[in-house]
Every structure is written in structure tokens, then in C-alpha cells.
Amino acid sequence: MSGLWAKLMARKKIIKAFRSADLHLTYKMSDGNERLILPKIRNVTITDASTSITFTLPNGLDPKLLKKNFYVFEQYFGQNVELDGEVKRFTLTVNKGSLPKELNYNYVKLEPELEGLEMPIVCGKDCAGKWMIYDAITEPNCLISGEPGAGKSTQLRSILATLIQHKTPDQLHIYLGDLKMSEFFLFKDVEHVKSVCVYPEDMARMLAHIHRELKRRGELLNKHRVTHITKLPKAEPFILLAIDEIVMIMDDKQMKKQIVQITSLGRALGIYCILSLQRPSHDILDTKIRGLLTVRMGFRTTDASNSKIIGTPGSERISKTTPGRFLVKRDELTELQAPYLTEEDAEELLDKYKSDSWTDMFTKEVAKCSQSDSEVLTEEDVFYDATK
């Protein structure tokens, strides 16, 4: 197919999509007939990897209709489509490639993609072969959910392994909750990791410690009259709290309250959270918590109800034959393939970060937390208002 003919066919197809999705304005003519004002196609670019169609909406057409009717573009062009733009000008990209069935984790190849990111959270590759990696500095809290075998565990493993290789033990402190006793044992003895809690009483001490750290760091911001820990005269390490199967502690009102406060106040204080679970429910993930977990990764779920609770509708349709396939919800919903990191490979790459003198901060011998640990923090406790 010649380049000119391919462009004409792309134009014809997107005009059909506009009509099917009712993406137009309608004006009545003086003769009683109706005239449709469709989006104006500005440019069509075709490469070996993709076809991009840039168009502008007529004044008065709600741009929200594009996202609402995005499925129409998928029906006409297939599922490997992306839509970028805002208000008036948009580009629809039709990728000719497809998601890889498996994506092996390789930090050497991944490292150049991390440049300029303080706390890179590796998601995966899209159908165009591009990595999606975001910075926890700006998107501090993440929820990961999916059935056993869907890829949730290896996703957690690759995220943590990447951060450990990217940051020094002085720059990053990691606190892990593993009440199933099956996910985070690989990270014991790693210098960055301060604790791997497997019992609820240890988890309570760990959360109380991070809760105290919230207050201490908030007081530092107040004292120095700054809005983020990166602006303090003396550097503070970033803190990552990762808890697998969060459902096992959400019945504890005190721990639930502390998790809500950590996720709601931690951003400016350099404290970030990754929470994961297999089967979400409204009882476990109420609207308050879900509203704070702005990034959602939905691996294969049991049904549509679970996927909607996570915030990744459609993840129930992911095939069992494609482990590591998931939907990520940030500004929009995107299908990705997660990097695959085996236990054996993770153990090998983590070995050089381990210390023979490593001890867990929250063993059972640690004294019980004082009553002051359970006090409730407010934004006034944490942030300084320079206008006062």
C-alpha cells in the first residue's frame, strides 16, 4: 500500500469513528437539513512502527467525549491505540507492534530510562515498546492487585530491586510488611531494608515508627519553613513502605488509621507507599484509602467487580496465558507487560547489597511503643503556613 493511499485510508477510517462515536456538532441549515461539524484532521504520519493522526475539535465540542467513547477508536483501529492531547488538539497513535508475551528484567538495559528520576517506579513496556516509569516524588502511593500467578509478586520484586540498585542505603530506607511470609524474604539482609515484618505485632511497631517519622519530618519542615524534605539543609533519606496482602491488617483500626495518615501526609515528607492485595473489596479498600492510592496496577482479577474497585476496569479480561500483563491507571488507563524477575535472579543481584551485620529493627524484643505513637496527626502538625 502506497504512503498516500495509506494516509487516505487512515483519514477515512477516523472519520467513520468520529461519526460512530457522535464526535461532532450538529447545525440545522436554512433548508431544514442538518450539517455535521466533525473534528478537523491536521496531519497523518505513518512510520514502520505506528500511524499518528492529529486532529482538532470544533469549538464547543466537549473533549471528555473522546475518553468516554475511546472504545470506538479501539473498534476501528484495534487495541494498540493511544490518545494524547487536551482541550482541543489531540493525536491518535495506532501502534503496529504488540505487547511482548514476556519481558525479562535487565537493570543494565533499564538504567538509562531512570535518568532524572529520584524514586523511579518501574511499571513495564507498552505496545510501542516504550517503558512506563514514574517518579514516586510526584505520584507517591500505589495499589497493586491481582490473582495468584498473574504477576503481582514479580512486579513488587522488580520495583524494589530497581530502587535498591538506583539508590544508596543512605538515600533510601525500605520497610516491608509480609504477613503471608512468602514475598519479601529475599530482601532480608539488604542494607536498604530496615525491617521485614511477618507478624502483626511487629507490623504495629513498624507503622508506629514511620508515624513518628511523619511528625519529626513535619517539625523539620516547620522549623526551616520549607515545603519538601529535598529543600532541607541536611538530606533526609526517602522512605518506602511496601505491604503485601494489606487485607490482613485492615481490621486493626489503629494500623488502618496510621496507613491512612502515612499515605495522606507522606508526599512532602519523602515517605511513599506501595500496598498490594489479591482480592479487593469495598470493606477493605474504602473510598478514603482508594482516593489516596492514585496509581493503580490491576493484574488479572476474578471478576469485573474486583477490577472496578481497583480502578482498572477490564483487568478481569486479561488472559491466564499472559502472566505479567496488567492495566495501569494514572492519568489514563494503559495496558502494559511487567518485567519478569525470577527469585533466583533477584537473589543473585541483591547479594552484593547484603550485609552480614544486618538486623531487623522490629523484632519481638523491641520495647512496646509509647502511647504518644497513636496520636492523630493533622496537616497543621506537618506543614508550616508561612503566611501566619
Side-chain angles (χ1 to χ4, degrees):
M1 183 183 293
S2 69
L4 179 59
W5 181 252
K7 289 183 178 182
L8 290 173
M9 292 302 293
R11 284 175 174 267
K12 184 176 180 180
K13 189 179 289 188
I14 199 169
I15 289 172
K16 286 183 177 180
F18 291 152
R19 290 177 179 273
S20 296
D22 287 332
L23 293 171
H24 56 75
L25 298 178
T26 304
Y27 286 101
K28 285 191 174 182
M29 309 295 288
S30 58
D31 58 4
N33 293 321
E34 291 186 343
R35 178 191 174 197
L36 299 185
I37 309 297
L38 296 166
K40 187 172 184 178
I41 300 171
R42 298 292 181 178
N43 187 45
V44 177
T45 303
I46 298 178
T47 67
D48 291 339
S50 65
T51 297
S52 297
I53 308 170
T54 300
F55 59 90
T56 54
L57 301 181
N59 291 337
L61 187 63
D62 187 353
K64 292 180 181 178
L65 291 173
L66 287 170
K67 289 186 177 181
K68 182 179 179 181
N69 296 291
F70 184 71
Y71 69 92
V72 176
F73 294 113
E74 292 181 315
Q75 290 174 346
Y76 275 89
F77 293 95
Q79 293 188 334
N80 295 336
V81 292
E82 301 174 5
L83 183 66
D84 295 315
E86 55 183 18
V87 184
K88 188 174 178 69
R89 190 180 184 90
F90 295 85
T91 298
L92 182 75
T93 301
V94 184
N95 296 297
K96 296 178 182 177
S98 59
L99 289 169
K101 290 185 177 180
E102 187 173 291
L103 177 62
N104 291 323
Y105 180 90
N106 187 318
Y107 183 75
V108 174
K109 293 182 178 179
L110 184 61
E111 190 172 17
E113 306 289 337
L114 310 181
E115 187 176 352
L117 302 178
E118 284 282 3
M119 282 283 289
I121 306 298
V122 176
C123 299
K125 274 189 175 182
D126 63 16
C127 57
K130 296 180 181 179
W131 280 101
M132 179 183 286
I133 305 170
Y134 69 89
D135 201 331
I137 296 286
T138 54
E139 298 176 82
N141 304 312
C142 173
L143 171 67
I144 304 177
S145 185
E147 290 181 347
K152 175 174 63 71
S153 297
T154 188
Q155 181 75 327
L156 282 167
R157 197 180 300 147
S158 62
I159 289 172
L160 293 172
T162 300
L163 288 169
I164 287 168
Q165 293 170 93
H166 185 67
K167 310 293 285 187
T168 69
D170 293 329
Q171 295 172 329
L172 173 64
H173 293 174
I174 298 174
Y175 297 85
L176 302 174
D178 186 13
L179 295 177
K180 291 194 304 181
M181 306 184 191
S182 61
E183 296 297 338
F184 295 141
F185 62 89
L186 289 169
F187 298 94
K188 287 188 174 182
D189 301 328
V190 174
E191 290 186 274
H192 301 69
V193 178
K194 300 305 173 183
S195 181
V196 181
C197 294
V198 297
Y199 297 109
E201 57 267 31
D202 296 336
M203 182 84 73
R205 284 190 284 268
M206 181 176 74
L207 289 176
H209 168 78
I210 298 174
H211 192 264
R212 285 197 303 272
E213 190 67 11
L214 272 180
K215 187 171 184 179
R216 185 188 73 81
R217 293 185 177 205
E219 290 171 349
L220 282 176
L221 296 192
N222 289 344
K223 178 181 177 181
H224 294 282
R225 303 189 180 193
V226 295
T227 57
H228 198 278
I229 63 159
T230 55
K231 298 179 180 180
L232 291 172
K234 183 181 177 181
E236 292 281 342
F238 294 116
I239 289 175
L240 177 69
L241 169 64
I243 302 176
D244 184 51
E245 208 52 49
I246 190 70
V247 63
M248 298 181 73
I249 62 169
M250 294 306 279
D251 285 338
D252 186 302
K253 292 182 179 180
Q254 179 61 21
M255 284 196 278
K256 182 176 180 179
K257 181 189 297 183
Q258 289 172 334
I259 288 171
V260 169
Q261 292 185 339
I262 291 167
T263 52
S264 61
L265 301 176
R267 177 176 177 175
L269 307 175
I271 301 175
Y272 313 115
C273 291
I274 298 177
L275 308 180
S276 69
L277 75 170
Q278 290 181 8
R279 295 186 178 182
S281 69
H282 289 291
D283 295 335
I284 302 303
L285 291 175
D286 58 31
T287 53
K288 181 183 291 185
I289 293 177
R290 276 184 287 165
L292 296 169
L293 302 170
T294 53
V295 178
R296 319 277 181 83
M297 298 186 193
F299 290 78
R300 186 181 65 250
T301 54
T302 54
D303 53 42
S305 176
N306 285 165
S307 67
K308 288 179 182 178
I309 293 171
I310 303 167
T312 57
S315 54
E316 77 281 0
R317 297 195 296 270
I318 296 174
S319 172
K320 290 185 178 182
T321 62
T322 54
R325 190 67 50 85
F326 71 105
L327 297 176
V328 61
K329 176 67 170 68
R330 293 170 66 205
D331 292 334
E332 58 186 29
L333 202 61
T334 307
E335 187 175 17
L336 300 175
Q337 181 68 31
Y340 180 58
L341 178 60
T342 65
E343 289 183 14
E344 294 76 17
D345 288 344
E347 192 167 12
E348 182 178 345
L349 71 84
L350 290 171
D351 188 60
K352 62 182 177 181
Y353 299 96
K354 293 187 177 184
S355 169
D356 292 335
S357 61
W358 185 87
T359 57
D360 195 303
M361 285 182 64
F362 303 105
T363 59
K364 293 183 179 180
E365 289 73 28
V366 177
K368 291 184 177 180
C369 301
S370 64
Q371 291 183 350
S372 63
D373 298 338
S374 62
E375 62 182 312
V376 176
L377 296 181
T378 65
E379 292 194 19
E380 286 77 16
D381 295 322
V382 176
F383 300 105
Y384 180 82
D385 187 346
T387 62
K388 289 184 178 181

